[in-house]
Amino acid sequence: MPQEYVIFLLDDGVYPDSLNQNRFYKKIPQNAIFEQICMDATLNCDQREAVNTLSGPLLVLAGAGSGKTRVVTVRIAKLIDTGISPRRILAMTFTNKAAQEMQKRIASMISTHRENQPEISTFHSLCVRILRRQIHNLGYPNNFSILDASDQNSICRKVLREIRVSDASLKPRDLLYHIGQWKSRGISPKIATRDADTDREHLAAVAFRRYQDELTRCGTVDFDDLLLLTSVLFRDYPEVRENEADRFDHILVDEYQDTNDIQYSIVKSLSQKHRNLCVVGDDDQSIYGFRGSDVRHILNFASDWPGAKTIRLEANYRSTEAILEVSNRLIRFNANRYDKVLKAARAGGQKPRIEQFGDEEHESKQVVTSIRRDLESNGRQPSDIAILFRTNEQPRLFETELRKFDIPYVLLGSHSFYDRKEIKDLVAYLRVIHHADDEPSMRRIINNPPRGISANSVSALVEIATQRGVSLWQVMLDNEALQTLKVPARMSIRNFIETIRSLQQTFSENLELSTFHSFLSAIQYKKEVLRNSEDEAETEQRWASVEEMANVFGAYLGRKRKPTLESFLEEIALAESDFDDDKDDQLDRNAVALLTLHASKGLEFPVVYMVGLEEGLLPHGRAVAAEGPAIDEERRLAYVGVTRAQDELTLSLSLTRRKWGRVQEQNPSRFLFEMIGQADNPHDAVVKRETETTNH
Ligand code: ATP
Ligand code: MG
């Protein structure tokens, strides 16, 4: 029987010099625990070296499935084992789900006190926590709210209307895209205006300034701001940077190849002093170029951090040799990369299948037929299987087929839950209760359910707010401003203010499930559900969403020792932004996973179907038009996809596909030819010539 080893820490999280003298502690000799860790998670020689390099800058640069994430996890356990207080360790992962997974694995290796856990989070959640402590330095309230995509969209619509830009010249969605691009590169409205090349860009830059003013006026931030404002704080307020950096002695970053300039500067600010920075990643899996991630950060790590140790892992434990052969062959077609050795630890295996169909309906039917076979005759579980695709339009047909045969599935990377009207309304209410200046939320709920506050009244108040540079809520509280409205509207606003205030009181007390029920009745939300439903069935369906929200709240209460409305809203905002709030479902519900290649990063499945391997889809049409580096990025995406498979891989394509209703011919993806060795690899030729020369 393996013994259970436990490290207890004092509440303040400090280890005394001599552990044995303290009655609060029971600690097993270090080596014993570490041997235990190694038993749980076998490590090869190079992985062991990485795990045992406990200080200074460390880079683990290695191919897919080589155990990088495992190294990060075990290294954290090892750090704790050597006596470093868990809460002095910060690890960054790419998604919330990955963070939870890592937390669980560490907990299975080593026990720590509840209060003293390593901080494992995404960049965004880390930044939320930093900003909650520090954002007042930038003139925002510390209880700022975080906007979601639809709020951002409505603000874009509003500012474009104000500067009289028609939809034809610039759509809100396009403006948002520009803003995202600028923000992820740290470009301010001022610089954007200065550098605008075209009229359209100039318009967008002007709108960007207004958009940003609108956000500051309401004390709200968008998702990109979380990172951007943190880096601005660190740049302009050295004492803030030092305070935040002093919280940790060790920093670890997974998927480092996908950090953008801002994330890079945040990591740098936090690690500069202690230099205990361990990053792991794979340049071949850098797939977020469109969000400003820059593979040079990982490639320049050694020169960036003098004295850095670089470790390479060369064994792939995930996929069979047959699958690895195909993925290795594919990625060698990329021009600018570190050539890495990646050998299969699992010899042999089934050759990947390539299947070609007449149209996309046949493709989906056959893939699902094959999945049924996997389930019925091959002993697979639904959760062993994934369907990977490039674009969001692709999964629909697969969903239809899976439904037809009652095969449970989850669509990952879809935000459907938080996109439902009921959920959006309720979240908006909660956000107003928490931070009444949150204007997009206020506008959403002020007359929802209808309470006699017309759109005209709201516009009149918003106009006053904009003139005065204050929020809508501030104007609502101002009796003089309300005089501009008719008496019934004025009365309704006053009642509404009362409701919000009393809910603020309710939510500031102890949070319980009953709080949610009082909230629902106070806002009379059932009325809104009835109003929007055509029949009983619809009412039931909409009410089910409301119930689901109560479930989300209940689950949150169950998880938190000190639940607050603020942290509940934070969890929602972060889950929404993530690709993976449904990933838990896949495990819980044992369902087939349907996910985009982007969302598949870091995951693994025994059986993978990668579909739509066609020119124009993978590589994406935009990349085909641009050629060059854009194609290389698509190839990395394809590489990420292929390397998710553990035992079986099927690549499929369709020779025709409907576009805007019309049937069009499709060509097989160039990546297919590359994978099966039917394309000339210019880089192989170069390598060969070089070897020939050295042989002479
Ligand atoms: P990716 O690049 O896709 O993120 P990764 O390098 O992070 O992959 P992991 O996910 O850590 O790789 O590991 C891949 C698989 O190999 C996991 O199932 C992991 O448990 C297993 N693995 C890692 N190291 C070893 C080892 N030394 N022995 C056996 N299995 C291992
Ligand atoms: Mg990984």
Side-chain angles (χ1 to χ4, degrees):
M1 262 296 279
Q3 247 181 298
E4 238 196 285
Y5 299 110
V6 185
I7 301 179
F8 289 113
L9 295 182
L10 283 174
D11 273 350
D12 64 6
V14 182
Y15 277 96
D17 290 334
S18 164
L19 294 169
N20 297 336
Q21 284 170 13
N22 195 301
R23 64 196 165 86
F24 290 104
Y25 287 82
K26 174 179 154 221
K27 190 167 187 268
I28 308 300
Q30 283 177 16
N31 285 344
I33 291 190
F34 194 58
E35 283 317 309
Q36 168 77 6
I37 292 171
C38 291
M39 258 164 51
D40 290 346
T42 330
L43 298 174
N44 66 28
C45 223
D46 299 320
Q47 291 174 326
R48 228 168 238 264
E49 188 182 350
V51 165
N52 286 319
T53 304
L54 294 176
S55 60
L58 170 67
L59 163 68
V60 179
L61 183 66
S66 57
K68 297 181 295 296
T69 303
R70 180 181 275 202
V71 161
V72 170
T73 315
V74 182
R75 192 170 177 273
I76 295 173
K78 171 81 190 191
L79 284 167
I80 298 173
D81 178 51
T82 57
I84 294 181
S85 170
R87 67 154 67 136
R88 308 284 306 163
I89 302 170
L90 168 68
M92 316 286 263
T93 59
F94 209 72
T95 59
N96 294 315
K97 171 70 187 162
Q100 283 163 19
E101 194 61 35
M102 199 174 275
Q103 199 106 46
K104 248 193 264 161
R105 294 237 174 118
I106 292 167
S108 74
M109 291 188 236
I110 218 159
S111 305
T112 54
H113 195 283
R114 254 184 102 145
E115 296 282 293
N116 188 7
Q117 296 288 332
E119 191 157 331
I120 301 175
S121 74
T122 62
F123 273 98
H124 286 99
S125 359
L126 172 79
C127 289
V128 172
R129 282 193 290 276
I130 294 175
L131 293 177
R132 287 268 179 243
R133 292 189 285 265
Q134 310 284 3
I135 201 171
H136 56 270
N137 289 295
L138 298 175
Y140 288 80
N142 279 1
N143 70 344
F144 62 88
S145 20
I146 307 165
L147 299 182
D148 69 14
S150 79
D151 301 328
Q152 286 180 285
N153 214 51
S154 69
I155 295 179
C156 284
R157 193 173 299 282
K158 175 169 181 276
V159 300
L160 288 173
R161 213 183 307 124
E162 279 168 11
I163 55 173
R164 306 200 192 299
V165 174
S166 70
D167 240 28
S169 344
L170 189 64
K171 290 193 180 57
R173 197 165 33 117
D174 298 334
L175 172 58
L176 210 50
Y177 172 78
H178 280 292
I179 294 179
Q181 291 288 314
W182 281 318
K183 286 195 172 179
S184 61
R185 288 171 176 75
I187 294 171
S188 67
K190 196 164 153 197
I191 310 263
T193 321
R194 193 194 67 195
D195 293 350
D197 280 335
T198 60
D199 283 352
R200 202 174 129 93
E201 257 177 53
H202 189 77
L203 270 185
V206 171
F208 177 23
R209 162 170 301 272
R210 289 201 161 228
Y211 168 92
Q212 208 49 40
D213 289 347
E214 192 73 4
L215 261 56
T216 11
R217 180 169 68 80
C218 311
T220 52
V221 305
D222 65 19
F223 224 65
D224 295 318
D225 280 339
L226 294 175
L227 300 179
L228 191 58
L229 295 178
T230 305
S231 73
V232 169
L233 263 173
F234 286 176
R235 187 194 62 203
D236 298 346
Y237 297 83
E239 70 290 354
V240 170
R241 184 185 62 225
E242 279 193 14
N243 274 339
E244 293 299 324
D246 281 347
R247 302 172 77 89
F248 305 105
D249 297 322
H250 287 269
I251 296 186
L252 301 96
V253 187
D254 197 4
E255 310 272 7
Y256 190 69
Q257 76 279 356
D258 276 319
T259 43
N260 65 23
D261 289 353
I262 296 169
Q263 290 163 327
Y264 169 84
S265 80
I266 293 172
V267 170
K268 198 154 195 171
S269 301
L270 293 176
S271 344
Q272 235 159 13
K273 204 155 136 199
H274 53 66
R275 289 175 40 93
N276 296 325
L277 170 64
C278 162
V279 308
V280 314
D282 176 8
D283 54 317
D284 288 333
Q285 294 184 68
S286 163
I287 55 173
Y288 278 92
F290 69 98
R291 279 204 205 148
S293 76
D294 192 339
V295 70
R296 275 175 302 184
H297 297 143
I298 193 162
L299 298 181
N300 295 342
F301 187 82
S303 55
D304 244 9
W305 294 90
K309 184 166 181 180
T310 302
I311 293 178
R312 287 164 209 275
L313 310 175
E314 303 191 333
N316 173 304
Y317 292 95
R318 178 180 294 143
S319 314
T320 61
E321 190 178 4
I323 293 171
L324 197 63
E325 204 172 282
V326 159
S327 61
N328 278 345
R329 207 181 287 140
L330 171 71
I331 199 60
R332 274 211 308 274
F333 276 80
N334 267 13
N336 296 315
R337 59 181 289 264
Y338 263 170
D339 200 13
K340 290 182 282 295
V341 182
L342 198 56
K343 294 204 189 91
R346 303 176 55 199
Q350 245 181 55
K351 261 200 159 57
R353 278 192 310 232
I354 298 180
E355 300 190 341
Q356 180 173 300
F357 302 99
D359 59 43
E360 67 265 52
E361 285 186 10
H362 274 98
E363 184 190 26
S364 59
K365 281 198 166 63
Q366 280 309 314
V367 165
V368 172
T369 306
S370 172
I371 289 179
R372 282 169 56 209
R373 208 175 313 123
D374 294 334
L375 297 174
E376 284 158 18
S377 342
N378 301 342
R380 296 290 186 189
Q381 293 286 318
S383 59
D384 290 339
I385 304 171
I387 305 178
L388 307 182
F389 42 85
R390 173 68 179 92
T391 69
N392 284 318
E393 293 72 46
Q394 283 169 274
R396 190 180 51 86
L397 286 170
F398 294 91
E399 286 188 77
T400 316
E401 279 304 304
L402 288 165
R403 257 193 240 133
K404 208 189 291 174
F405 295 101
D406 270 344
I407 301 174
Y409 72 88
V410 280
L411 184 60
L412 309 178
S414 78
H415 300 156
S416 53
F417 175 67
Y418 292 103
D419 278 345
R420 289 182 218 161
K421 174 189 158 26
E422 293 71 35
I423 305 306
K424 283 192 158 303
D425 288 350
L426 295 177
V427 171
Y429 264 102
L430 293 174
R431 279 167 38 172
V432 166
I433 295 166
H434 167 244
H435 174 56
D437 290 327
D438 179 338
E439 196 164 305
S441 301
M442 178 62 90
R443 286 157 64 123
R444 182 175 186 103
I445 61 163
I446 191 165
N447 198 38
N448 162 3
R451 48 175 75 86
I453 307 174
S454 70
N456 281 344
S457 310
V458 178
S459 302
L461 296 180
V462 168
E463 192 147 315
I464 302 176
T466 315
Q467 273 165 16
R468 296 187 186 168
V470 297
S471 70
L472 175 56
W473 174 250
Q474 299 302 329
V475 174
M476 287 160 65
L477 295 178
D478 177 356
N479 275 329
E480 203 183 306
L482 290 189
Q483 294 306 323
T484 52
L485 305 184
K486 298 214 175 79
V487 179
R490 221 185 294 161
M491 298 276 289
S492 304
I493 287 187
R494 292 207 176 107
N495 286 338
F496 180 62
I497 292 174
E498 271 322 297
T499 311
I500 296 297
R501 286 207 161 131
S502 103
L503 283 169
Q504 282 171 336
Q505 182 60 35
T506 315
F507 275 92
S508 67
E509 288 154 13
N510 242 352
L511 291 194
E512 294 163 4
L513 204 48
S514 62
T515 319
F516 193 79
H517 293 288
S518 335
F519 157 68
L520 282 184
S521 55
I523 63 172
Q524 303 187 323
Y525 197 70
K526 188 81 188 228
K527 253 175 39 186
E528 180 67 7
V529 167
L530 290 170
R531 193 175 71 89
N532 283 292
S533 308
E534 300 218 324
D535 51 33
E536 236 171 74
E538 194 178 343
T539 311
E540 202 172 292
Q541 189 197 339
R542 288 183 184 275
W543 198 244
S545 301
V546 175
E547 183 190 344
E548 193 57 29
M549 188 69 193
N551 294 342
V552 172
F553 188 65
Y556 163 81
L557 293 180
R559 249 193 328 271
K560 284 274 159 165
R561 234 158 46 120
K562 286 187 210 130
T564 62
L565 180 56
E566 178 166 295
S567 76
F568 177 58
L569 286 170
E570 226 161 83
E571 274 198 12
I572 293 181
L574 294 168
E576 235 181 315
S577 69
D578 218 60
F579 286 113
D580 49 31
D581 37 272
D582 287 337
K583 277 184 191 162
D584 277 338
D585 287 10
Q586 200 221 352
L587 299 175
D588 295 350
R589 289 180 18 206
N590 190 10
V592 173
L594 267 69
L595 69 170
T596 60
L597 290 164
H598 280 104
S600 75
K601 203 168 72 151
L603 304 178
E604 56 191 16
F605 302 90
V607 181
V608 168
Y609 292 87
M610 205 162 135
V611 302
L613 272 139
E614 297 146 39
E615 288 289 302
L617 267 185
L618 184 65
H620 196 276
R622 269 198 310 272
V624 174
E627 281 294 329
I631 294 287
D632 288 355
E633 174 122 345
E634 294 290 308
R635 193 177 282 109
R636 289 192 290 270
L637 201 47
Y639 175 74
V640 167
V642 200
T643 53
R644 297 309 98 197
Q646 292 174 297
D647 308 336
E648 290 172 44
L649 171 68
T650 306
L651 305 159
S652 71
L653 71 137
S654 157
L655 292 174
T656 65
R657 196 171 282 274
R658 273 182 200 281
K659 297 234 169 77
W660 296 106
R662 274 226 195 96
V663 177
Q664 287 194 358
E665 299 217 336
Q666 294 289 94
N667 288 321
S669 167
R670 66 189 78 185
F671 302 149
L672 272 179
F673 297 109
E674 296 172 358
M675 283 190 251
I676 59 176
Q678 287 190 10
D680 286 335
N681 189 342
H683 313 302
D684 273 355
V686 174
V687 174
K688 206 162 148 217
R689 234 177 289 125
E690 278 169 3
T691 1
E692 278 163 8
T693 343
T694 35
N695 284 346
H696 279 302

